[in-house]
């Protein structure tokens, strides 16, 4: 998220993974993708607990707060038993 924030401050636009210099981590437990132009998504390669959806996603958008444009991050909450704090990604902005 910090790379996207820094890119936005410099370019005044949201950048895709290539533009911001992000490289997906390698993992035997998750597959990371960029399903849209600027989103981030992870899918588990293992069986998940009941009630969990296999999709952790962070949507990125531009918002204006008090006449100041900034980036907003909205994370999914598809598996709270396994990743209880994932939904809080980007909420400190």
């Amino acid at each position: 998220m910090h790379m996207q924030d820094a890119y936005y401050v410099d370019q005044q636009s949201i950048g895709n993974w290539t533009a911001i210099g992000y490289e997906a981590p390698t993992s035997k437990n998750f597959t990371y993708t960029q399903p849209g132009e600027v989103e981030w998504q992870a899918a588990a390669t293992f069986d998940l607990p009941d009630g969990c959806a296999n999709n952790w996603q962070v949507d990125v958008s531009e918002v204006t707060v008090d006449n100041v444009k900034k980036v907003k991050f909205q994370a999914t909450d598809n598996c709270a038993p396994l990743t209880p704090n994932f939904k809080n990604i980007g909420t400190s902005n």
Side-chain angles (χ1 to χ4, degrees):
M1 304 312 125
H2 297 295
M3 294 171 84
Q4 186 67 260
D5 286 333
Y7 182 86
Y8 187 82
V9 167
D10 186 57
Q11 299 296 316
Q12 290 299 293
S13 66
I14 296 171
N16 64 23
W17 285 12
T18 302
I20 68 173
Y22 179 78
E23 293 184 24
T26 56
S27 169
K28 59 184 172 182
N29 296 313
F30 291 92
T31 301
Y32 300 91
T33 58
Q34 181 181 16
E37 187 62 23
V38 296
E39 292 89 5
W40 178 94
Q41 184 173 303
T45 58
F46 55 89
D47 292 333
L48 295 170
D50 289 341
C52 286
N54 193 4
N55 178 10
W56 287 262
Q57 185 167 330
V58 178
D59 294 320
V60 183
S61 61
E62 181 181 66
V63 296
T64 302
V65 178
D66 297 327
N67 293 322
V68 176
K69 290 183 180 181
K70 67 180 203 169
V71 177
K72 177 183 177 187
F73 302 100
Q74 181 66 48
T76 58
D77 185 18
N78 293 338
C79 194
L82 187 60
T83 54
N85 293 315
F86 186 81
K87 66 182 178 184
N88 298 323
I89 288 177
T91 58
S92 63
N93 289 340

